[in-house]
Amino acid sequence: MRLQVIWITILQAAMVKSLKEVSGYLGDNVTLPSEAGASWNLSKIEWSIFTNNTWIATYRNGRENIERFHQYKGRLSLNTTTGDLTIHNLSRKDAMDYSVDLENAEGQNTANKIKLTVTERLQKPNIEVTVYGPTEGNCAVRLRCSSDDQGVNFTWRVKLPIVIVTNTQDHYGSSVVAFLNTTQSGAEFTCTSIRQNENNSRSVFPECSVKPPPTPTASPLSPEKRCRYGVTVFVGVILGCLLSAVMFFFGDQIKAAWKFIKGNLRPLHNSAETEG
Ligand SMILES: *[C@@H]1O[C@H](CO)[C@@H](O)[C@H](O)[C@H]1NC(C)=O
Ligand SMILES: *[C@@H]1O[C@H](CO)[C@@H](O)[C@H](O)[C@H]1NC(C)=O
Ligand SMILES: *[C@@H]1O[C@H](CO)[C@@H](O)[C@H](O)[C@H]1NC(C)=O
Ligand SMILES: *[C@@H]1O[C@H](CO)[C@@H](O)[C@H](O)[C@H]1NC(C)=O
Ligand SMILES: *[C@@H]1O[C@H](CO)[C@@H](O)[C@H](O)[C@H]1NC(C)=O
Ligand SMILES: *[C@@H]1O[C@H](CO)[C@@H](O)[C@H](O)[C@H]1NC(C)=O
């Protein structure tokens, strides 16, 4: 054993090519390429953990052994033609440097070193929906998209001819505000989170529906008192400013919505969507 370790160390020092990086997703399978030449008829394949030369999978004299190390029990498969090693059901502990030593039928040797990184798949984004209204058949809908993952960007896709008033993006997520009326149903808002070459989406279908009238205990408030409600102030200020700027250019729907915004605006239902 000791001699083997020394021999492997010398071989690695002499023959290891530049470190190749391979990335896999947690719970998925990943294949570490041996990079043996296509013409090589492999007679020996030895995969080991680079840092301490522990063998994890070997092929010698036509015999394969992929049950050498407890951490990988039942999770390895070796392609004895190509020398490639597949690790199944990746765990975070698998992220380290690997080394493969190869020998062909002519007695030639080569070695290769691979750095494996394990990353988590991008999760579905979350969409928080707030519907204001309806008043005179119109609703304002505010949708906020966020992600539990770091460093993602967002895009929105909206089906149906809905007027999008704002689309703002900040460090934590992306929001859109749109107008719906009670005759529109099936409006679909899809938020896609994007990270490098990965993306994941969630869709919601907010409705502008007539809800039962308020319970008698909720006595009507004076306009002054109503203005103190944070959400009314927020939507009033934000939408009011934007609307006054854009209403000039839009048709009757915006005018109806504007009238509604100036009217008795209050949140009707507020829900955080978790399933898409
Ligand atoms: C991973 O490998 C196992 C065993 O070969 C297979 O059943 C499974 O479908 C593979 N998973 C993926 C995501 O390719
Ligand atoms: C590869 O090598 C083995 C063992 O030396 C031999 O039996 C086999 O015929 C060779 N195959 C090819 C395609 O050269
Ligand atoms: C070699 O490294 C692996 C991973 O770090 C570890 O689990 C294993 O116990 C080490 N083996 C020896 C003989 O030190
Ligand atoms: C080994 O890899 C080659 C090339 O990718 C493939 O054609 C062959 O089916 C694989 N063999 C096994 C046993 O998976
Ligand atoms: C609702 O919106 C649709 C599409 O913009 C429009 O055709 C319809 O007239 C609107 N209905 C009301 C009551 O505003
Ligand atoms: C999301 O990924 C899929 C598959 O990789 C790709 O076809 C699609 O264009 C991507 N969408 C966005 C918005 O990047």
Side-chain angles (χ1 to χ4, degrees):
M1 181 67 194
R2 183 141 208 106
L3 261 174
Q4 279 168 339
V5 169
I6 292 165
W7 182 79
I8 288 167
T9 308
I10 291 166
L11 186 76
Q12 276 167 346
M15 314 262 318
V16 163
K17 297 173 199 156
S18 66
L19 188 77
K20 185 189 168 74
E21 284 206 26
V22 172
S23 178
Y25 290 117
L26 198 63
D28 275 14
N29 305 330
V30 72
T31 297
L32 309 182
S34 79
E35 302 202 321
S39 62
W40 274 46
N41 185 353
L42 294 168
S43 58
K44 190 160 84 180
I45 307 162
E46 292 176 336
W47 279 95
S48 56
I49 297 168
F50 180 72
T51 42
N52 60 19
N53 300 314
T54 302
W55 280 322
I56 57 171
T58 55
Y59 173 75
R60 297 173 188 131
N61 308 317
R63 277 196 62 234
E64 178 186 287
N65 187 349
I66 53 173
E67 300 287 327
R68 287 187 158 268
F69 192 54
H70 59 88
Q71 184 180 327
Y72 302 93
K73 272 252 153 69
R75 294 198 297 125
L76 298 179
S77 51
L78 186 62
N79 184 324
T80 54
T81 309
T82 60
D84 295 350
L85 180 72
T86 301
I87 306 176
H88 301 276
N89 190 16
L90 269 186
S91 81
R92 288 197 188 283
K93 276 174 72 186
D94 299 339
M96 55 185 148
D97 292 354
Y98 295 86
S99 171
V100 60
D101 296 299
L102 305 163
E103 196 180 289
N104 68 9
E106 283 81 53
Q108 290 173 286
N109 292 298
T110 189
N112 196 25
K113 197 178 146 193
I114 288 152
K115 184 186 189 65
L116 174 64
T117 56
V118 177
T119 55
E120 212 164 316
R121 272 197 191 283
L122 192 59
Q123 291 169 276
K124 267 185 185 296
N126 305 306
I127 303 178
E128 194 187 303
V129 182
T130 314
V131 178
Y132 306 96
T135 297
E136 292 174 19
N138 290 289
C139 291
V141 189
R142 183 173 180 272
L143 301 106
R144 182 165 177 80
C145 183
S146 61
S147 174
D148 296 334
D149 295 299
Q150 302 291 309
V152 298
N153 287 317
F154 302 94
T155 61
W156 284 96
R157 201 184 67 233
V158 178
K159 278 194 199 150
L160 276 193
I162 296 157
V163 179
I164 298 285
V165 180
T166 62
N167 183 351
T168 54
Q169 182 134 193
D170 62 34
H171 191 66
Y172 305 102
S174 173
S175 297
V176 291
V177 175
F179 288 105
L180 287 182
N181 66 36
T182 47
T183 62
Q184 291 170 312
S185 65
E188 181 179 0
F189 293 77
T190 303
C191 176
T192 302
S193 58
I194 303 164
R195 183 178 64 187
Q196 283 144 29
N197 47 14
E198 241 190 306
N199 69 59
N200 205 338
S201 300
R202 188 188 293 277
S203 295
V204 290
F205 302 85
E207 297 249 343
C208 178
S209 52
V210 182
K211 294 278 156 169
T215 52
T217 50
S219 57
L221 301 167
S222 68
E224 291 80 7
K225 213 168 182 184
R226 207 175 271 153
C227 274
R228 293 203 195 103
Y229 276 76
V231 78
T232 310
V233 174
F234 171 77
V235 174
V237 170
I238 299 292
L239 294 191
C241 292
L242 276 150
L243 271 175
S244 58
V246 299
M247 71 172 290
F248 199 76
F249 304 100
F250 289 84
D252 290 342
Q253 197 182 0
I254 278 284
K255 279 181 189 149
W258 176 232
K259 202 165 123 206
F260 147 80
I261 285 288
K262 291 209 293 189
N264 57 339
L265 181 65
R266 61 180 179 270
L268 189 76
H269 41 279
N270 192 331
S271 61
E273 304 284 331
T274 50
E275 289 306 319

